[in-house]
Amino acid sequence: MVDVQHWLSALPPLTVYLIVAAVIGVESMGVPLPGEIVLVSSALLAATGVVEPEWVAAAAAFGAIVGDSIGYAVGRRGGRPLLHRLGRRFPRHLGPAQIARAEQSFARHGVWAVFFGRFVALLRILAGPLAGALHVPYRRFLLANAAGGLVWAFGTTYLLYSVGRAAEHWLKDISWAGLVVAVLAGVGSTWWLRRRAHRGAATEPTEQTEPVATADR
């Protein structure tokens, strides 16, 4: 992540915002990319004054909402065969076991899996395509998608920005310590959501839920 932050720091601010939106957007379409790493690195850059935090957050939210919506449209058109093709192409991230866990989260939480999925790496990639493949009503999907994207983008950015600014003020001579504190704060902010999601996935039955029943939740 330090290498990503160093690379971004050499770019013009506008380019950084576009990269944040593009990487998070493509990730949300169902392609495994390091969207969270890019967001965290950009938020830490904002703490040093290289970029503006409000534009980092806005770019991340835009990429998340638009990317998920495109992923939803692709998933609705391609259906389950699309998920199987993604699994064959990215077996480490989107294999049968990962898709089954994501389906179980949708079966248990319904459309709220889209909101909470924004805070979990696996669901952040699969939420849009899977919701489309399961025919979740788009209006409900869009509401959860927008809410999750905004909370995740602005919450993560401003939390790391605030902690980074404080660390820079208190630890001017120990820059690496400020980075560690900021990263730990970012991890802690999503810990309970990740724990809840993984605990729910571990206790789900192994049977697959029918798509029509899932969509009606």
Side-chain angles (χ1 to χ4, degrees), residues 43-156:
L44 293 175
L45 279 181
T48 65
V50 175
V51 293
E52 298 298 328
E54 62 269 24
W55 286 108
V56 170
F62 177 82
I65 295 170
V66 173
D68 267 344
S69 294
I70 294 174
Y72 175 94
V74 173
R76 192 174 183 89
R77 184 179 180 85
R80 287 179 178 270
L82 171 66
L83 299 179
H84 296 321
R85 287 197 297 272
L86 287 173
R88 289 195 297 270
R89 186 164 185 177
F90 305 106
R92 181 178 177 182
H93 298 88
L94 306 176
Q98 288 81 2
I99 292 177
R101 285 175 56 192
E103 288 182 319
Q104 290 165 3
S105 295
F106 268 84
R108 179 171 183 175
H109 303 294
V111 74
W112 282 105
V114 177
F115 177 88
F116 289 112
R118 179 48 56 182
F119 299 87
V120 182
L122 171 64
L123 286 178
R124 185 164 56 248
I125 299 172
L126 281 173
L130 187 57
L134 297 178
H135 294 276
V136 173
Y138 181 69
R139 289 185 180 180
R140 297 176 60 192
F141 166 81
L142 181 60
L143 177 62
N145 174 34
L150 289 169
V151 171
W152 174 73
F154 280 85
T156 301

Side-chain angles (χ1 to χ4, degrees), residues 174-200:
I174 318 177
S175 59
W176 63 267
L179 175 61
V180 170
V181 171
V183 172
L184 290 177
V187 172
S189 68
T190 59
W191 173 82
W192 73 274
L193 288 169
R194 292 175 184 273
R195 182 178 178 85
R196 176 177 176 179
H198 290 309
R199 181 179 297 174

Side-chain angles (χ1 to χ4, degrees), residues 147-165:
L150 289 169
V151 171
W152 174 73
F154 280 85
T156 301
T157 298
Y158 276 96
L159 174 64
L160 292 174
Y161 171 77
S162 300
V163 173
R165 293 286 289 178

